[in-house]
Amino acid sequence: MSEIITIANQKGGVGKTTTTVNLSASLAKNGKKILIVDADPQTNATTSLGFSRNDYEYNIYHVLIGIKHISEVILPTKFENLDIAPANIGLVGIEKDFYISAKANRELLLKEALEPIRDEYDYIIVDSPPALGPITINALGAANSVIIPIQCEFFALEGLAQLLNTINLLKKSINRELTIKGFLPTMYSGQNNLSRQVLDDLSLHFKDKLFLDEKDRFIIVPRNVKIAESPSFGQSVIEYAYHSKGAVAYINLAKTILREG
Ligand SMILES: Nc1ncnc2c1ncn2[C@@H]1O[C@H](COP(=O)(O)OP(=O)(O)OP(=O)(O)O)[C@@H](O)[C@H]1O
Ligand SMILES: [Mg+2]
Protein backbone atom coordinates (compact mmCIF):
# COMPACT_ATOMS: atom_id res chain seq x y z
CA MET A 1 0.00 0.00 0.00
CA SER A 2 1.40 3.36 -0.99
CA GLU A 3 2.39 6.06 1.44
CA ILE A 4 0.56 9.31 0.69
CA ILE A 5 2.71 12.41 1.23
CA THR A 6 1.12 15.83 0.92
CA ILE A 7 3.29 18.87 0.23
CA ALA A 8 1.69 21.80 2.03
CA ASN A 9 2.22 25.39 3.09
CA GLN A 10 -0.49 28.01 2.70
CA LYS A 11 2.18 30.59 1.86
CA GLY A 12 2.48 31.09 -1.88
CA GLY A 13 5.62 30.48 -3.91
CA VAL A 14 7.62 28.58 -1.29
CA GLY A 15 8.49 25.58 -3.46
CA LYS A 16 5.54 23.20 -2.97
CA THR A 17 5.14 22.35 -6.65
CA THR A 18 8.90 22.25 -7.21
CA THR A 19 9.21 19.80 -4.32
CA THR A 20 6.26 17.71 -5.54
CA VAL A 21 7.69 17.32 -9.03
CA ASN A 22 11.36 16.86 -8.15
CA LEU A 23 10.88 14.59 -5.14
CA SER A 24 8.51 12.47 -7.25
CA ALA A 25 10.98 12.32 -10.13
CA SER A 26 13.80 11.35 -7.74
CA LEU A 27 11.74 8.57 -6.15
CA ALA A 28 10.75 7.35 -9.62
CA LYS A 29 14.41 7.29 -10.66
CA ASN A 30 14.99 4.99 -7.70
CA GLY A 31 12.56 2.52 -9.24
CA LYS A 32 9.56 3.42 -7.11
CA LYS A 33 6.17 3.70 -8.75
CA ILE A 34 4.88 7.23 -8.17
CA LEU A 35 1.60 9.05 -8.66
CA ILE A 36 1.53 12.83 -8.44
CA VAL A 37 -1.86 14.26 -7.55
CA ASP A 38 -2.09 17.87 -8.68
CA ALA A 39 -4.63 19.29 -6.26
CA ASP A 40 -3.96 22.93 -7.15
CA PRO A 41 -6.23 24.80 -9.60
CA GLN A 42 -3.12 26.65 -10.81
CA THR A 43 -2.15 23.32 -12.45
CA ASN A 44 1.57 24.04 -12.06
CA ALA A 45 2.63 20.46 -11.38
CA THR A 46 0.68 19.30 -14.44
CA THR A 47 2.25 21.94 -16.70
CA SER A 48 5.71 21.40 -15.22
CA LEU A 49 5.60 17.85 -16.52
CA GLY A 50 4.87 19.03 -20.04
CA PHE A 51 1.08 18.71 -20.20
CA SER A 52 -1.10 21.40 -21.67
CA ARG A 53 -4.84 21.79 -21.30
CA ASN A 54 -5.63 19.99 -24.54
CA ASP A 55 -3.75 16.87 -23.48
CA TYR A 56 -6.46 15.70 -21.09
CA GLU A 57 -10.19 15.96 -20.78
CA TYR A 58 -10.81 14.91 -17.19
CA ASN A 59 -8.93 15.79 -14.03
CA ILE A 60 -8.93 15.49 -10.27
CA TYR A 61 -11.83 17.94 -10.06
CA HIS A 62 -14.11 15.43 -11.78
CA VAL A 63 -12.96 12.80 -9.32
CA LEU A 64 -13.68 14.96 -6.27
CA ILE A 65 -17.17 15.82 -7.44
CA GLY A 66 -17.78 12.15 -8.06
CA ILE A 67 -18.28 11.95 -11.81
CA LYS A 68 -15.01 10.17 -12.69
CA HIS A 69 -13.06 7.34 -11.09
CA ILE A 70 -9.47 8.18 -10.21
CA SER A 71 -8.18 5.58 -12.70
CA GLU A 72 -10.00 7.44 -15.51
CA VAL A 73 -8.00 10.65 -15.03
CA ILE A 74 -4.50 9.30 -14.38
CA LEU A 75 -2.02 9.99 -17.19
CA PRO A 76 1.37 8.38 -17.70
CA THR A 77 4.11 11.02 -17.93
CA LYS A 78 7.00 10.68 -20.37
CA PHE A 79 9.12 9.56 -17.40
CA GLU A 80 9.38 5.97 -16.26
CA ASN A 81 7.45 5.07 -13.07
CA LEU A 82 5.77 8.48 -12.91
CA ASP A 83 2.04 9.07 -13.39
CA ILE A 84 -0.04 12.15 -12.71
CA ALA A 85 -3.65 12.90 -11.85
CA PRO A 86 -3.83 16.36 -13.46
CA ALA A 87 -5.58 19.44 -12.17
CA ASN A 88 -7.76 22.00 -13.85
CA ILE A 89 -8.82 25.53 -13.06
CA GLY A 90 -12.29 24.06 -12.40
CA LEU A 91 -10.96 23.04 -9.01
CA VAL A 92 -11.50 26.59 -7.78
CA GLY A 93 -15.22 25.85 -7.89
CA ILE A 94 -14.82 22.94 -5.54
CA GLU A 95 -15.43 25.02 -2.46
CA LYS A 96 -18.87 25.97 -3.69
CA ASP A 97 -19.57 22.43 -4.87
CA PHE A 98 -18.62 21.03 -1.49
CA TYR A 99 -21.22 23.13 0.22
CA ILE A 100 -23.92 22.79 -2.40
CA SER A 101 -23.67 19.05 -2.39
CA ALA A 102 -23.30 19.08 1.42
CA LYS A 103 -21.58 15.75 1.12
CA ALA A 104 -20.95 13.68 4.18
CA ASN A 105 -17.22 13.44 4.91
CA ARG A 106 -16.40 16.17 2.43
CA GLU A 107 -12.94 16.52 3.97
CA LEU A 108 -12.19 12.91 3.04
CA LEU A 109 -13.22 12.94 -0.63
CA LEU A 110 -9.62 12.74 -1.86
CA LYS A 111 -8.73 9.98 0.59
CA GLU A 112 -11.71 7.92 -0.56
CA ALA A 113 -10.96 8.62 -4.23
CA LEU A 114 -7.36 7.37 -3.89
CA GLU A 115 -8.25 4.22 -1.95
CA PRO A 116 -8.86 1.93 -4.98
CA ILE A 117 -5.45 2.64 -6.55
CA ARG A 118 -3.26 2.70 -3.45
CA ASP A 119 -1.81 -0.73 -4.15
CA GLU A 120 -0.58 0.35 -7.56
CA TYR A 121 1.94 2.91 -6.29
CA ASP A 122 4.76 3.04 -3.77
CA TYR A 123 4.19 6.73 -3.09
CA ILE A 124 1.41 9.16 -3.92
CA ILE A 125 2.63 12.76 -3.70
CA VAL A 126 -0.06 15.44 -3.45
CA ASP A 127 0.64 19.07 -4.41
CA SER A 128 -1.66 21.54 -2.67
CA PRO A 129 -2.65 25.17 -3.28
CA PRO A 130 -1.46 28.20 -1.27
CA ALA A 131 -4.49 28.31 1.03
CA LEU A 132 -5.86 26.44 4.02
CA GLY A 133 -9.20 25.88 2.29
CA PRO A 134 -11.12 22.70 1.49
CA ILE A 135 -8.68 21.43 -1.14
CA THR A 136 -5.73 21.59 1.24
CA ILE A 137 -7.85 20.03 3.99
CA ASN A 138 -8.67 17.17 1.59
CA ALA A 139 -4.98 16.85 0.69
CA LEU A 140 -4.06 16.66 4.38
CA GLY A 141 -7.03 14.42 5.12
CA ALA A 142 -5.75 11.89 2.58
CA ALA A 143 -2.12 11.96 3.72
CA ASN A 144 -0.08 9.67 5.92
CA SER A 145 2.45 12.45 6.24
CA VAL A 146 3.15 16.02 5.23
CA ILE A 147 6.28 17.78 4.00
CA ILE A 148 6.36 21.52 4.61
CA PRO A 149 8.65 23.50 2.30
CA ILE A 150 9.95 26.66 3.95
CA GLN A 151 11.36 29.37 1.74
CA CYS A 152 14.57 30.77 3.24
CA GLU A 153 13.42 34.38 3.00
CA PHE A 154 11.96 37.06 5.21
CA PHE A 155 8.59 36.08 6.77
CA ALA A 156 9.42 32.42 6.17
CA LEU A 157 7.98 31.28 9.47
CA GLU A 158 4.98 33.58 9.33
CA GLY A 159 1.81 31.52 9.12
CA LEU A 160 3.60 28.36 10.16
CA ALA A 161 1.85 28.28 13.55
CA GLN A 162 -1.51 28.37 11.78
CA LEU A 163 -0.51 25.49 9.51
CA LEU A 164 0.78 23.41 12.44
CA ASN A 165 -2.41 24.19 14.31
CA THR A 166 -4.51 22.98 11.38
CA ILE A 167 -2.45 19.79 11.18
CA ASN A 168 -2.99 19.20 14.91
CA LEU A 169 -6.72 19.74 14.57
CA LEU A 170 -6.86 17.22 11.72
CA LYS A 171 -4.89 14.74 13.83
CA LYS A 172 -7.56 15.02 16.50
CA SER A 173 -10.44 14.63 14.08
CA ILE A 174 -10.41 13.23 10.55
CA ASN A 175 -6.83 11.95 10.24
CA ARG A 176 -5.37 10.52 13.40
CA GLU A 177 -2.33 9.01 11.70
CA LEU A 178 -1.14 12.22 10.03
CA THR A 179 2.52 12.95 10.82
CA ILE A 180 4.87 15.73 9.85
CA LYS A 181 7.53 14.04 7.78
CA GLY A 182 9.68 17.13 7.83
CA PHE A 183 10.36 20.75 7.05
CA LEU A 184 12.31 21.37 3.87
CA PRO A 185 14.25 24.64 3.62
CA THR A 186 14.04 25.84 0.01
CA MET A 187 15.66 28.55 -2.12
CA TYR A 188 18.54 28.76 0.32
CA SER A 189 21.28 31.18 -0.58
CA GLY A 190 24.48 30.96 1.45
CA GLN A 191 25.43 34.57 0.62
CA ASN A 192 22.19 35.84 2.05
CA ASN A 193 22.09 36.57 5.80
CA LEU A 194 18.33 36.12 5.85
CA SER A 195 18.64 32.62 4.42
CA ARG A 196 21.08 31.69 7.16
CA GLN A 197 18.83 33.27 9.77
CA VAL A 198 15.84 31.21 8.65
CA LEU A 199 17.90 28.04 8.76
CA ASP A 200 19.16 28.93 12.26
CA ASP A 201 15.58 29.53 13.43
CA LEU A 202 14.43 26.24 11.93
CA SER A 203 17.26 24.26 13.48
CA LEU A 204 16.60 25.92 16.83
CA HIS A 205 12.87 25.20 16.95
CA PHE A 206 12.37 22.18 14.69
CA LYS A 207 15.74 20.42 14.63
CA ASP A 208 14.22 16.95 14.77
CA LYS A 209 11.95 17.80 11.83
CA LEU A 210 14.68 18.74 9.37
CA PHE A 211 15.70 16.02 6.93
CA LEU A 212 19.23 14.63 7.25
CA ASP A 213 21.30 13.12 4.46
CA GLU A 214 23.38 9.97 4.96
CA LYS A 215 26.22 12.05 6.40
CA ASP A 216 23.84 13.63 8.94
CA ARG A 217 23.85 17.04 7.23
CA PHE A 218 20.61 18.97 6.92
CA ILE A 219 19.01 18.62 3.50
CA ILE A 220 18.59 22.14 2.15
CA VAL A 221 17.40 22.99 -1.34
CA PRO A 222 19.61 25.79 -2.66
CA ARG A 223 18.39 28.61 -4.83
CA ASN A 224 19.37 27.11 -8.16
CA VAL A 225 18.64 28.37 -11.65
CA LYS A 226 18.33 24.86 -13.10
CA ILE A 227 15.41 24.20 -10.77
CA ALA A 228 13.68 27.35 -12.00
CA GLU A 229 14.37 26.56 -15.67
CA SER A 230 13.38 22.90 -15.80
CA PRO A 231 9.55 23.32 -15.82
CA SER A 232 9.69 25.33 -19.03
CA PHE A 233 11.19 22.24 -20.66
CA GLY A 234 8.45 20.01 -19.25
CA GLN A 235 11.05 18.22 -17.16
CA SER A 236 12.02 17.76 -13.56
CA VAL A 237 15.48 19.03 -12.64
CA ILE A 238 16.52 15.37 -12.34
CA GLU A 239 16.26 14.96 -16.13
CA TYR A 240 17.11 18.53 -17.00
CA ALA A 241 20.32 18.92 -14.97
CA TYR A 242 21.11 15.76 -13.03
CA HIS A 243 24.40 17.08 -11.63
CA SER A 244 23.11 20.48 -10.56
CA LYS A 245 23.02 21.33 -6.85
CA GLY A 246 19.24 21.56 -7.06
CA ALA A 247 18.92 18.03 -8.43
CA VAL A 248 21.35 16.67 -5.83
CA ALA A 249 19.24 18.12 -2.99
CA TYR A 250 16.07 16.42 -4.23
CA ILE A 251 17.89 13.15 -4.90
CA ASN A 252 19.19 13.24 -1.32
CA LEU A 253 15.71 13.96 -0.02
CA ALA A 254 14.35 10.93 -1.90
CA LYS A 255 17.17 8.73 -0.54
CA THR A 256 16.43 9.83 3.02
CA ILE A 257 12.72 9.14 2.60
CA LEU A 258 13.48 5.69 1.18
CA ARG A 259 15.99 4.98 3.96
CA GLU A 260 13.53 5.97 6.66
CA GLY A 261 10.89 3.80 4.96
N1 LIG B 1 15.32 26.00 -5.21
C1 LIG B 1 14.88 26.89 -6.13
N2 LIG B 1 15.75 27.66 -6.81
C2 LIG B 1 15.30 28.57 -7.71
N3 LIG B 1 14.02 28.75 -8.02
C3 LIG B 1 13.10 28.01 -7.37
C4 LIG B 1 13.47 27.04 -6.40
N4 LIG B 1 12.34 26.45 -5.91
C5 LIG B 1 11.33 27.04 -6.55
N5 LIG B 1 11.76 27.97 -7.43
C6 LIG B 1 10.95 28.81 -8.28
O1 LIG B 1 10.17 29.63 -7.43
C7 LIG B 1 8.84 29.77 -7.93
C8 LIG B 1 7.85 29.24 -6.89
O2 LIG B 1 8.07 27.86 -6.71
P1 LIG B 1 6.84 26.84 -6.68
O3 LIG B 1 5.93 27.07 -7.81
O4 LIG B 1 7.38 25.47 -6.50
O5 LIG B 1 6.14 27.33 -5.32
P2 LIG B 1 4.69 26.94 -4.78
O6 LIG B 1 4.78 26.91 -3.31
O7 LIG B 1 4.21 25.70 -5.44
O8 LIG B 1 3.83 28.16 -5.28
P3 LIG B 1 2.22 28.28 -5.17
O9 LIG B 1 1.96 28.60 -3.75
O10 LIG B 1 1.85 29.39 -6.10
O11 LIG B 1 1.65 26.98 -5.58
C9 LIG B 1 8.81 29.00 -9.23
O12 LIG B 1 9.04 29.88 -10.28
C10 LIG B 1 9.97 28.01 -9.11
O13 LIG B 1 10.52 27.67 -10.35
MG1 LIG C 1 2.43 25.34 -6.45
Side-chain angles (χ1 to χ4, degrees):
M1 177 111 107
S2 55
E3 175 174 352
I4 302 181
I5 305 175
T6 287
I7 315 296
N9 187 336
Q10 80 275 26
K11 267 177 86 75
V14 298
K16 291 181 289 296
T17 302
T18 302
T19 298
T20 300
V21 169
N22 294 308
L23 171 61
S24 298
S26 302
L27 289 167
K29 263 259 179 306
N30 275 285
K32 298 295 170 188
K33 188 96 177 91
I34 309 299
L35 174 68
I36 292 177
V37 174
D38 188 354
D40 182 356
Q42 297 181 98
T43 77
N44 293 340
T46 307
T47 0
S48 290
L49 286 164
F51 293 99
S52 68
R53 259 227 239 155
N54 300 328
D55 295 333
Y56 56 98
E57 191 174 353
Y58 297 108
N59 61 77
I60 196 74
Y61 171 75
H62 299 103
V63 177
L64 291 174
I65 62 172
I67 63 173
K68 284 286 158 190
H69 189 271
I70 182 72
S71 56
E72 294 176 284
V73 307
I74 291 176
L75 305 167
T77 70
K78 52 188 185 249
F79 310 109
E80 209 181 343
N81 296 326
L82 186 60
D83 291 350
I84 186 166
N88 183 273
I89 185 71
L91 263 175
V92 292
I94 205 95
E95 187 151 8
K96 199 174 53 148
D97 292 337
F98 275 153
Y99 287 96
I100 287 174
S101 60
K103 280 198 160 115
N105 283 336
R106 59 174 183 244
E107 298 90 359
L108 292 172
L109 296 179
L110 184 61
K111 182 186 171 78
E112 284 160 12
L114 295 176
E115 213 60 59
I117 50 136
R118 282 194 68 175
D119 285 338
E120 293 170 37
Y121 296 94
D122 295 303
Y123 291 92
I124 298 177
I125 313 285
V126 184
D127 190 16
S128 66
L132 277 176
I135 303 177
T136 300
I137 299 300
N138 262 270
L140 292 170
N144 301 109
S145 64
V146 52
I147 293 177
I148 303 173
I150 309 272
Q151 185 182 359
C152 295
E153 296 285 350
F154 201 46
F155 295 134
L157 303 187
E158 189 199 51
L160 193 57
Q162 199 191 357
L163 176 59
L164 297 179
N165 204 19
T166 303
I167 290 170
N168 278 330
L169 285 174
L170 291 178
K171 277 168 76 164
K172 286 185 197 139
S173 54
I174 58 164
N175 190 356
R176 288 173 188 275
E177 55 181 280
L178 181 64
T179 58
I180 296 177
K181 209 166 185 68
F183 295 94
L184 182 68
T186 61
M187 297 180 239
Y188 179 84
S189 161
Q191 283 90 300
N192 184 334
N193 285 333
L194 272 172
S195 261
R196 290 205 303 272
Q197 183 67 52
V198 171
L199 195 58
D200 286 350
D201 284 354
L202 279 176
S203 49
L204 189 66
H205 298 292
F206 303 105
K207 192 168 195 237
D208 57 334
K209 285 293 172 196
L210 291 172
F211 293 98
L212 297 174
D213 69 12
E214 65 250 283
K215 290 182 180 148
D216 276 348
R217 292 171 305 205
F218 292 136
I219 296 178
I220 297 159
V221 182
R223 188 171 277 287
N224 178 256
V225 68
K226 300 292 182 196
I227 287 183
E229 284 171 1
S230 56
S232 61
F233 295 90
Q235 292 181 337
S236 78
V237 74
I238 314 304
E239 284 88 20
Y240 178 65
Y242 187 80
H243 296 288
S244 64
K245 287 187 170 161
V248 168
Y250 281 108
I251 290 165
N252 282 337
L253 177 62
K255 281 187 189 154
T256 292
I257 286 172
L258 292 173
R259 205 172 49 235
E260 290 175 354

